[in-house]
Amino acid sequence: MWWFFRIVSSFVFLLTIILSIPISFDVGGRDSGLAYSLSLFGFYLLYSSAKLATPENSRVRWAFTKLLQSSQWVVIPTLLIWSLHNFAVDANSTDWVSRTIGGLGSQKHNTWTDWFFGNGGLVESVTLGGWDKTLRYSSPVFQLAEGFCTLLVIQAAGFISRALVNRGRSDTWVLILLILSASIIASSVYFLWRVALFPSINNIDAILIGVTVTSAIFLGAIGIGTGRGNPVESSLLFAYVVLCVYQIFTDYVQSPEAQAAAAEQAANQPEFPPLPPIIMASYTTLLHVFSFLPSAVYSSLSFLYAAFQTIAPSVMISLVYRLIVFYCATRIIPAVRESGVGVFINEPSFDDSDDANRLLGFLSWFSPSILIAVYTSLLLQHFSASDGDEGWTLRHGDAGGNTWRWVNVAATMILYANELWIGNDHLKTD
């Protein structure tokens, strides 16, 4: 029964982090969001380090970690209120460098202690600036780590599919896996066709897309032909390449031209309900029932909706994808290698004989801090300020980093080609 409470607790923690960090950026500005994410990062870094540094059966470890684990539900809102109270700035003051220089020159501190440690002092400005620069320079690392974990997931999927085929009812599994692979490839081709219709693609972009897609198809065909790969691996590799290409050229938001065309098309169509009458009647009844809910529940739902509206769609998609591949890399893949299910429940261990498993186990210990850093880095890519009434937003910034996305695609395919060349001895031992 404890596993259920652990799942619920992890879900609530994830939802709290996903909503609270963009709220700190959206309400208080850039410095407020950086201060809140840095304080959260430090808190969970302390929590993970305490678990890692103390013996597993120690009473001190149990008492200290339980105290930190129980206090996080108080620490998170406290840190959010603290960051909004102390670091909320004007919309035009979004650059930490200008804030440091301007603040140190304009604010009059009575003592050297206030100038160094006080509000707006040197330590505060350098700390936030260092955290900002660390996240920006770490963005390529997160991108490459995503490709590496994706490659591990692709290899594990190939290992599982081969194990299923080699067991009983192999013909049935071959048919199912072929249908699955064909569905993945068909979906990828559809999104690749959508990319080809983007007006922002020039000749160089078209050449890069053609070389990348051709290389992915070539690697998949070699893997299937030599027997060192299979259709599942090839389809997943092709799908990931298309996903990276799609993320390079779109932010999952319609362009102004597409929005205008959709509005014009909707205006010319007759007024028909979007769904059958029986479903629309049920939907209307459900809305009527919701209108009788207590005001606190209705306000909470409205707050959740408004909080999710502050997050760009590409941030949510990238975060969910990275969480999935990171979890698979730290828990599912070791379970596949050891052919056991205990890894899904037990904590990661450093006693593993495989260096890759030890590295993944080490990273999984600090997964909350890594989650906060990755999420804040994604949000900073979409943070933009303006002189208008909006002030700042998390939905219209230039994500950038397309060069590193191309590097990630190339590195992933090079690693997969290397695995095919050496025979893929790690995950494909029959």
Side-chain angles (χ1 to χ4, degrees):
M1 191 63 181
W2 285 107
W3 62 269
F4 177 75
F5 290 104
R6 290 182 61 182
I7 292 176
V8 173
S9 176
S10 301
F11 175 76
V12 174
F13 160 75
L14 184 61
L15 183 64
T16 304
I17 295 299
I18 289 176
L19 294 181
S20 60
I21 295 180
I23 287 176
S24 63
F25 276 100
D26 191 63
V27 176
R30 188 187 191 89
D31 287 349
S32 178
L34 289 172
Y36 176 62
S37 64
L38 178 59
S39 58
L40 279 181
F41 179 85
F43 174 76
Y44 284 104
L45 184 64
L46 174 65
Y47 172 70
S48 302
S49 300
K51 292 180 63 178
L52 188 61
T54 53
E56 186 175 354
N57 298 324
S58 173
R59 294 184 178 180
V60 176
R61 171 188 177 177
W62 183 88
F64 187 68
T65 55
K66 289 298 180 183
L67 176 62
L68 291 179
Q69 189 176 4
S70 303
S71 64
Q72 65 178 341
W73 309 114
V74 179
V75 170
I76 291 177
T78 301
L79 292 178
L80 178 60
I81 296 173
W82 167 78
S83 63
L84 291 176
H85 176 71
N86 292 281
F87 297 94
V89 294
D90 187 34
N92 295 325
S93 179
T94 57
D95 186 5
W96 72 271
V97 178
S98 62
R99 182 174 184 267
T100 302
I101 298 175
L104 295 177
S106 60
Q107 294 185 5
K108 295 182 179 180
H109 300 281
N110 297 325
T111 62
W112 281 95
T113 304
D114 294 337
W115 182 86
F116 199 76
F117 295 104
N119 187 18
L122 181 63
V123 173
E124 173 189 318
S125 301
V126 171
T127 302
L128 294 184
W131 179 239
D132 183 13
K133 291 300 180 183
T134 300
L135 293 176
R136 288 194 173 275
Y137 289 137
S138 300
S139 180
V141 178
F142 296 148
Q143 190 72 46
L144 296 176
E146 173 195 308
F148 177 72
C149 292
T150 300
L151 184 59
L152 293 179
V153 173
I154 291 174
Q155 292 179 329
F159 178 85
I160 295 173
S161 61
R162 178 169 298 191
L164 292 174
V165 171
N166 290 337
R167 300 174 71 178
R169 298 182 179 180
S170 59
D171 294 338
T172 303
W173 280 114
V174 167
L175 182 61
I176 292 175
L177 293 175
L178 285 177
I179 294 175
L180 177 63
S181 302
S183 302
I184 294 174
I185 293 176
S187 302
S188 304
V189 169
Y190 167 74
F191 284 101
L192 188 62
W193 171 76
R194 291 195 59 182
V195 171
L197 299 179
F198 290 162
S200 59
I201 295 179
N202 53 32
N203 294 333
I204 298 178
D205 296 332
I207 293 174
L208 290 175
I209 293 173
V211 172
T212 303
V213 173
T214 304
S215 302
I217 295 174
F218 182 71
L219 287 176
I222 289 180
I224 296 174
T226 59
R228 296 175 180 177
N230 53 44
V232 174
E233 285 189 9
S234 301
S235 62
L236 291 177
L237 177 66
F238 181 74
Y240 180 65
V241 169
V242 173
L243 173 65
C244 293
V245 171
Y246 196 83
Q247 288 179 335
I248 289 173
F249 294 102
T250 183
D251 201 22
Y252 300 96
V253 178
Q254 285 185 329
S255 62
E257 295 81 4
Q259 292 179 357
E264 183 180 358
Q265 183 179 4
N268 296 331
Q269 290 181 351
E271 293 291 337
F272 288 116
L275 296 173
I278 185 173
I279 299 180
M280 291 300 298
S282 303
Y283 174 73
T284 305
T285 304
L286 186 62
L287 291 180
H288 183 69
V289 172
F290 282 161
S291 64
F292 291 99
L293 290 176
S295 58
V297 176
Y298 185 77
S299 300
S300 301
L301 294 177
S302 301
F303 171 77
L304 290 176
Y305 176 77
F308 277 111
Q309 287 297 109
T310 62
I311 308 173
S314 60
V315 172
M316 287 301 302
I317 294 174
S318 299
L319 178 66
V320 170
Y321 180 79
R322 291 181 179 182
L323 286 178
I324 292 174
V325 296
F326 180 74
Y327 180 81
C328 292
T330 54
R331 292 298 179 90
I332 295 179
I333 293 173
V336 171
R337 288 182 173 180
E338 300 297 333
S339 299
V341 296
V343 184
F344 292 98
I345 302 175
N346 301 328
E347 293 291 339
S349 174
F350 292 103
D351 298 331
D352 202 301
S353 59
D354 194 338
D355 293 336
N357 280 358
R358 285 200 297 267
L359 175 61
L360 295 175
F362 176 79
L363 293 178
S364 65
W365 278 98
F366 297 94
S367 56
S369 300
I370 295 175
L371 165 65
I372 293 170
V374 171
Y375 189 36
T376 308
S377 177
L378 289 173
L379 290 174
L380 285 175
Q381 295 175 12
H382 294 267
F383 187 93
S384 63
S386 62
D387 296 331
D389 297 335
E390 192 176 30
W392 55 73
T393 179
L394 289 170
R395 297 180 63 88
H396 303 303
D398 184 13
N402 290 339
T403 301
W404 284 106
R405 288 189 175 99
W406 285 117
V407 172
N408 173 45
V409 174
T412 302
M413 290 193 293
I414 290 174
L415 288 176
Y416 185 73
N418 182 64
E419 290 292 330
L420 294 179
W421 177 260
I422 66 177
N424 224 343
D425 295 329
H426 298 291
L427 275 174
K428 295 182 178 176
T429 303
D430 291 333

